[in-house]
Amino acid sequence: MPNLDPLDLFDVKSMLAEDERIVQDTVARFVDDQVLPIIRECFEQHRFPSELVPEVANLGLLGSSIDGYGCAGLNAVAYGLICQELERGDSGLRSFVSVQSSLVMYPIYTYGSDEQKDRWLPAMTAGEAIGCFGLTESHGGSDPGNMKTYAKRDGDDWILNGSKMWITNGNIADVAVVWATTDDGVRGFLVEKDMAGFDAPAIENKMSLRASHTAALFFDNVRVPNASMLPGVSSLRGPLSCLTQARYGITWGPIGAAQACLKELLDYVETRILFGEPLSHKQSIQERLADMARRITTAQLLSLRLGRLKDAGQLEPTQVSLAKWNNVRMALDIARDCRDMLGGSGISAEYVPIRHMLNLESVITYEGTENIHKLVVGKELTGVAAF
Ligand SMILES: Cc1cc2nc3c(=O)[nH]c(=O)nc-3n(C[C@H](O)[C@H](O)[C@H](O)COP(=O)(O)OP(=O)(O)OC[C@H]3O[C@@H](n4cnc5c(N)ncnc54)[C@H](O)[C@@H]3O)c2cc1C
C-alpha cells in the first residue's frame, strides 16, 4: 500500500502548526458528521442548511480572524483551513462563512465606529445576526467603479437609491454592508433589513450554489442614519480590501472540493471493472488521476504560502488573484473530469463531483471572474491595466 496520503502527496499537513491542525481536524469532523449527511438533499431542494449556523458559530468559524468581540482570533492559515474543510462539504456553506467573516465582519471591524463594532460583531460571531455584502450591480460586476447606487446626505441621515445583484445571504441578512457612491466618494452603509424602502428578494432557479441564498437588493429612498455609515473609508479601496480578504479564503476552499471529488473517484475506479480489470489499472485513467494530484498539490502549496505571507503582513492582491484563478480552475477541471470518469453515474447527485462542479461555476465567477484575475496578473507584469 502506498505510504503517501493521495489527497496530500506533499504532506502539507506536516507543515502546519499544531493549533492549525486542530482547527482543521475540528472542522473536518463537523463536516463529516453534520454537513455531508444532509448537503446533497439541501442542494437538491435549493435550501441553505440554516440549522448548521449555531454549530458553525459555536466552533468559532464566524469572524475567526478577528481579535476581540468574542471572535476566535485565529491566524490566516487557520482561516484558510476552515474554508478548505467547509468547501469539502459544499461551496454554499463555505460562501456563507466567507461572506459573514470577510465581507461583513471584516469591514465593520476595519472601517466601523466603536458603536457599530459593539452592536454587530458579538452578534455576528454568535450567529445571531447574519450579514451580506452588496457591491455588484446588474450592469456589470467586473467594473465596480461604474457603481450607480447613490447615497445623498439629508441632515443627519443619508437617502439611498439603487440596486445590487447576486448578493449571497441577501434575503436572510439582518444587515447589509452596501457600497454606494456619494459626493464624498464610495461609502459603506449598514442597511438593516426592516428599514423602509429596502427589499431583498431571493434569486430562484439557480443551478449552482443551490445550498446557499442569493438575492437582489433594492433601495427606494431608504433613510440610513449617518451613525450607520462606515466612517473609516471613502473610496473603492473599502470594498476591494474586503474582496482581498474573501478571495484569500476562496483560494483554499476549492482545494477541499477537489479533494472530495478525487477521494470519491479513487474508490470508484478501484471497484469499477471494465474490460476484465479495475478501471484504476488503465494507463490513461492513472494519468488523469496523477494530473489531479499534481494540481491539488500545487494549489495546496500556493495557498499555504499565501497564508504565511498574509500572517507576515506581506500579502499582495496580485498574489491572491493568481491563486484564486489557479485554484478555482484546478477544482473546476478536476470536478468535471471526475464526473466524466464516473460515466453515467457522474450525472447523479449520489456522487459529489457534479454538485461541486456546478458550485464551482459560481466560485469561478464571483469575487472577480477568472478573466479579471488574469488581467490583474497581466497588469502586474506589464504595468498596463487592460481591463
Ligand atoms: C452565486 C453568486 C454569489 C455572489 N455573491 C455576491 C455577493 O455576495 N456580493 C456581491 O457584491 N456580488 C456577488 N456576486 C456577484 C459576482 O461578484 C459577479 O457576478 C462577478 O463579479 C461578475 O460580474 P457580472 O456577473 O456582472 O459579470 P460581468 O462583469 O458582466 O462579466 C461577464 C463576462 O465578461 C468578462 N469580462 C468582464 N470584464 C472584462 C474585461 N475587461 N476583459 C475581458 N473580459 C471581461 C468576465 O470575465 C465574464 O466572463 C455573486 C455572484 C454569484 C453568481
Side-chain angles (χ1 to χ4, degrees):
M1 288 297 287
N3 292 321
L4 301 175
D5 177 352
L7 304 181
D8 183 11
L9 280 186
F10 272 40
D11 200 11
V12 170
K13 198 153 194 175
S14 69
M15 298 161 75
L16 302 175
E18 196 191 340
D19 53 341
E20 294 163 348
R21 271 203 293 270
I22 290 170
V23 169
Q24 179 172 21
D25 292 345
T26 304
V27 183
R29 253 195 319 277
F30 164 69
V31 169
D32 289 339
D33 295 348
Q34 298 194 43
V35 180
L36 293 180
I38 63 166
I39 200 64
R40 173 189 141 193
E41 208 171 86
C42 290
F43 186 89
E44 286 176 10
Q45 294 171 351
H46 212 315
R47 181 178 83 78
F48 172 68
S50 51
E51 66 271 30
L52 297 178
V53 173
E55 186 58 10
V56 166
N58 193 33
L59 290 172
L61 310 188
L62 300 176
S64 62
S65 309
I66 291 175
D67 251 330
Y69 302 96
C71 301
L74 300 175
N75 70 5
V77 170
Y79 173 54
L81 291 163
I82 290 169
C83 292
Q84 179 179 312
E85 290 306 324
L86 289 177
E87 196 146 350
R88 188 169 61 77
D90 192 85
S91 308
L93 187 59
R94 198 270 306 140
S95 298
F96 171 81
V97 171
S98 291
V99 168
Q100 179 93 342
S101 301
S102 292
L103 296 180
V104 183
M105 296 177 73
Y106 171 82
I108 293 174
Y109 179 71
T110 310
Y111 305 120
S113 66
D114 287 342
E115 293 72 31
Q116 291 166 351
K117 292 180 206 184
D118 289 340
R119 170 151 184 221
W120 291 110
L121 294 179
M124 298 195 88
T125 194
E128 288 157 6
I130 305 296
C132 71
F133 174 89
L135 177 65
T136 301
E137 300 185 354
S138 56
H139 49 270
S142 301
D143 184 13
N146 186 27
M147 192 182 292
K148 308 280 191 236
T149 299
Y150 182 72
K152 189 173 166 46
R153 192 70 197 251
D154 184 40
D156 282 343
D157 300 329
W158 295 81
I159 307 296
L160 187 64
N161 278 289
S163 64
K164 300 286 176 180
M165 190 62 185
W166 300 117
I167 306 306
T168 304
N169 300 346
N171 49 319
I172 56 163
D174 299 287
V175 63
V177 174
V178 177
W179 299 95
T181 54
T182 71
D183 291 342
D184 181 29
V186 171
R187 288 283 191 182
F189 295 90
L190 302 178
V191 179
E192 294 175 44
K193 66 176 177 193
D194 47 7
M195 284 181 170
F198 176 38
D199 195 17
I203 296 174
E204 307 287 358
N205 305 323
K206 288 180 301 165
M207 300 308 289
S208 175
L209 283 194
R210 288 173 61 83
S212 161
H213 288 290
T214 316
L217 309 182
F218 295 102
F219 314 100
D220 180 9
N221 286 315
V222 180
R223 184 169 283 279
V224 185
N226 190 45
S228 296
M229 184 200 69
L230 298 176
V233 72
S234 60
S235 72
L236 265 184
R237 186 174 63 79
L240 295 183
S241 67
C242 302
L243 292 175
T244 299
Q245 303 301 313
R247 288 165 178 166
Y248 160 75
I250 292 172
T251 74
W252 289 82
I255 296 169
Q259 287 174 323
C261 295
L262 178 57
K263 180 171 187 291
E264 196 165 62
L265 189 74
L266 287 172
D267 291 342
Y268 183 83
V269 294
E270 187 127 345
T271 52
R272 180 74 171 168
I273 309 293
L274 289 173
F275 299 97
E277 59 182 356
L279 205 49
S280 60
H281 293 197
K282 306 291 178 193
Q283 268 189 354
S284 68
I285 295 287
Q286 288 200 11
E287 278 179 26
R288 289 160 82 180
L289 298 174
D291 196 53
M292 292 181 191
R294 171 183 67 84
R295 295 182 70 180
I296 288 173
T297 302
T298 311
Q300 286 175 302
L301 293 170
L302 267 186
S303 282
L304 183 60
R305 169 71 179 147
L306 212 53
R308 297 286 179 234
L309 285 171
K310 191 168 193 302
D311 280 327
Q314 295 168 359
L315 177 123
E316 292 293 332
T318 302
Q319 296 165 332
V320 179
S321 283
L322 190 144
K324 199 248 177 192
W325 156 28
N326 181 79
N327 292 11
V328 184
R329 170 54 64 188
M330 169 283 294
L332 182 55
D333 289 349
I334 286 177
R336 178 139 212 284
D337 209 23
C338 286
R339 205 294 309 146
D340 181 76
M341 281 188 268
L342 287 163
S345 302
I347 69 154
S348 166
E350 279 188 32
Y351 292 87
V352 299
I354 195 152
R355 176 167 53 80
H356 283 298
M357 181 185 109
L358 291 168
N359 282 339
L360 288 159
E361 291 291 349
S362 286
V363 181
I364 205 164
T365 288
Y366 70 25
E367 302 273 349
T369 66
E370 186 177 57
N371 288 83
I372 291 297
H373 289 297
K374 288 179 182 175
L375 294 176
V376 170
V377 176
K379 181 179 171 216
E380 188 74 34
L381 299 182
T382 64
V384 177
F387 299 99

